[in-house]
Amino acid sequence: MTKVDVIIIGAGAAGLFCAAQAGYRGRSVTVLDHAKKVGRKILMSGGGRCNFTNMYTSPDNFLSKNAHYCKSALSKYTQWDFIALVNEYGIAHHEKTLGQLFCDDSAKNIVDMLLTECQKAKVNIRTQTEILEIEKQESGFKIHTNSGEYICESLVVATGGLSMPKLGATPFGYQIAEQFGHTIEATRAGLVPFTLHDHDKAALSELSGISVEAVASCHNTSFKENILFTHRGLSGPAILQISSYWTPGETVELNLSPNLSLLNELQQKQTESPNAQLGTVLSHYFPKRFVQTALSYFNLENKPLKQYQGKQLQQIAETFEQWHLKPNGTEGYRTAEVTLGGVSTEQLSSKTMESKLVPGLYFIGEVVDVTGMLGGFNFQWAWSSGWVAGQVC
């Protein structure tokens, strides 16, 4: 039987960061994780370079049933606080686009930093530890594991969501929440590629690998970034972003010409080069292979511009600027970067992440119903929620 002040379940971003904060307060902290290695999701994030935060982080970058819930934690521990820590460790980094900060070298720099922080704070990390049962005691908790029993005053659940099961994602955190009477907001895959219906897939799969800038819109929310055609459907930043707002059966609108009026361009070219064929002109604005497929897919005739009359050019422009596509679904948790939904914020303190139902029980990171947009926001939520819980647990 091992007695400690704090047990943290999950050695990911939120769990490790929280553990160090609690350890620095003089609390005895043990982190338990079922995996062989800590921080696996950190290591593969951002193409192995870890998009560890975003300079423009604000509450507007998060989805939750309670839009205000994330404000307190994000204001108490900001992106600038984490950037200062990264700088303190001399980790070279750069801004890629839209405030997204990546390591110059490797995501391993961030994991090493977290482990060093835990070491300094005298945190004990136990991997390959399976939790068999959790019991609430008069004061604190008793944790039964495959490597012995633990007693703790505070229990912090930092188990992540359901995305990327190959990296060890499980519903365990939600099960703990339910065991102690917490509500789970419905979960689904977020920041995930779309799959297409058979007829769209057959027509567009030959575009696999082609990327175009676009605006993807759904539910009065729009993202202007690249979309990427894949052999299964559509991916790329704009698609991943809008996937978090889309629900099955709905249509996504894509503007494939976000930086110019295609109608103006076509009308001008009709005057300047009336004998130029539509496909040739469109190839000035889109990849050639995309144009060939698009003409067929949208049932557009490839003829000289002078042969188009009336509103025909306007209809062609609208076809590219208002493409209404109904996805078949998403690729699901297998490739999703995050899980939408999770432990309801109604039953958690926004200032400390502590359960309102069970004193001494905390939920942090992705297991909570707070989901960031693409671009480092989910890591910032891990740092902020882990930090506030670490000040009190």
Side-chain angles (χ1 to χ4, degrees):
M1 179 88 66
T2 306
K3 192 173 182 185
V4 293
D5 295 328
V6 185
I7 289 278
I8 295 176
I9 304 175
L16 292 174
F17 199 60
C18 179
Q21 306 315 310
Y24 281 136
R25 287 174 41 237
R27 302 284 275 167
S28 58
V29 183
T30 295
V31 180
L32 305 177
D33 198 291
H34 68 287
K36 278 184 186 177
K37 272 185 172 181
V38 305
R40 287 179 72 189
K41 208 169 174 185
I42 302 172
L43 289 169
M44 60 75 60
S45 67
R49 289 199 171 174
C50 186
N51 178 194
F52 57 81
T53 192
N54 193 299
M55 293 194 295
Y56 305 126
T57 301
S58 82
D60 296 340
N61 301 118
F62 296 85
L63 288 87
S64 172
K65 194 171 180 186
N66 176 357
H68 302 289
Y69 181 81
C70 64
K71 289 179 178 177
S72 178
L74 291 172
S75 66
K76 286 181 176 177
Y77 190 85
T78 70
Q79 63 271 37
W80 307 112
D81 294 318
F82 192 76
I83 291 165
L85 181 65
V86 168
N87 289 335
E88 200 182 301
Y89 274 80
I91 297 171
H93 58 274
H94 60 280
E95 180 188 356
K96 201 172 176 185
T97 52
L98 307 169
Q100 301 171 20
L101 296 185
F102 288 78
C103 297
D104 284 359
D105 182 23
S106 161
K108 192 173 182 296
N109 296 152
I110 299 294
V111 174
D112 289 346
M113 179 186 81
L114 294 172
L115 289 175
T116 304
E117 284 286 286
C118 285
Q119 203 177 345
K120 285 184 190 171
K122 298 182 170 60
V123 172
N124 180 25
I125 299 171
R126 299 293 304 270
T127 53
Q128 293 181 282
T129 301
E130 190 187 343
I131 292 164
L132 307 172
E133 192 187 351
I134 299 172
E135 287 180 64
K136 178 77 182 86
Q137 301 202 300
E138 248 180 72
S139 63
F141 304 84
K142 190 175 188 179
I143 322 285
H144 301 264
T145 79
N146 61 345
S147 58
E149 293 179 348
Y150 294 84
I151 287 179
C152 63
E153 281 178 29
S154 299
L155 178 63
V156 183
V157 180
T159 49
L162 299 170
S163 48
M164 300 190 184
K166 277 188 177 174
L167 295 180
T170 73
F172 188 54
Y174 309 130
Q175 290 161 2
I176 297 171
E178 286 177 327
Q179 177 188 334
F180 291 107
H182 280 264
T183 304
I184 306 298
E185 300 296 347
T187 56
R188 60 190 176 88
L191 300 181
V192 62
F194 284 137
T195 57
L196 300 178
H197 290 282
D198 288 344
H199 61 281
D200 291 324
K201 188 177 166 184
L204 299 173
S205 60
E206 62 198 62
L207 294 178
S208 182
I210 284 181
S211 176
V212 294
E213 192 175 13
V215 173
S217 306
C218 188
H219 288 298
N220 299 318
T221 302
S222 298
F223 294 96
K224 180 185 172 186
E225 281 190 78
N226 280 2
I227 66 170
L228 173 70
F229 292 88
T230 72
H231 60 282
R232 284 186 293 269
L234 285 178
S235 188
I239 296 297
L240 298 183
Q241 293 280 37
I242 208 66
S243 72
S244 294
Y245 295 81
W246 174 87
T247 53
E250 292 180 333
T251 297
V252 172
E253 184 177 303
L254 298 168
N255 177 358
L256 302 172
S257 177
N259 300 317
L260 50 81
S261 163
L262 200 53
L263 176 58
N264 287 350
E265 295 295 316
L266 291 173
Q267 286 172 336
Q268 195 177 330
K269 288 287 190 286
Q270 190 180 45
T271 306
E272 294 170 358
S273 313
N275 293 316
Q277 290 202 305
L278 176 64
T280 307
V281 173
L282 289 173
S283 295
H284 295 163
Y285 313 109
F286 304 104
K288 220 171 241 180
R289 191 152 58 97
F290 171 77
V291 171
Q292 290 165 359
T293 301
L295 290 174
S296 164
Y297 177 73
F298 291 128
N299 292 319
L300 300 173
E301 275 188 88
N302 188 18
K303 56 186 184 182
L305 290 184
K306 66 183 180 186
Q307 292 182 23
Y308 292 96
Q309 290 160 4
K311 289 191 170 181
Q312 288 179 320
L313 286 182
Q314 185 183 331
Q315 287 163 354
I316 290 166
E318 285 174 358
T319 298
F320 286 89
E321 291 174 346
Q322 297 170 29
W323 177 20
H324 292 271
L325 179 72
K326 188 180 277 190
N328 183 35
T330 72
E331 290 189 9
Y333 292 118
R334 185 179 61 81
T335 58
E337 295 200 16
V338 290
T339 305
L340 292 153
V343 179
S344 172
T345 58
E346 294 300 309
Q347 297 153 337
L348 300 177
S349 160
S350 63
K351 292 180 172 65
T352 64
M353 313 302 293
E354 185 175 15
S355 166
K356 293 178 182 177
L357 309 180
V358 182
L361 178 63
Y362 300 78
F363 294 89
I364 60 174
E366 196 184 342
V367 75
V368 180
D369 175 32
V370 174
T371 306
M373 294 176 181
L374 188 72
F377 301 108
N378 287 292
F379 273 123
Q380 187 55 46
W381 173 245
W383 316 136
S384 297
S385 62
W387 189 88
V388 295
Q391 305 310 304
V392 292
C393 65

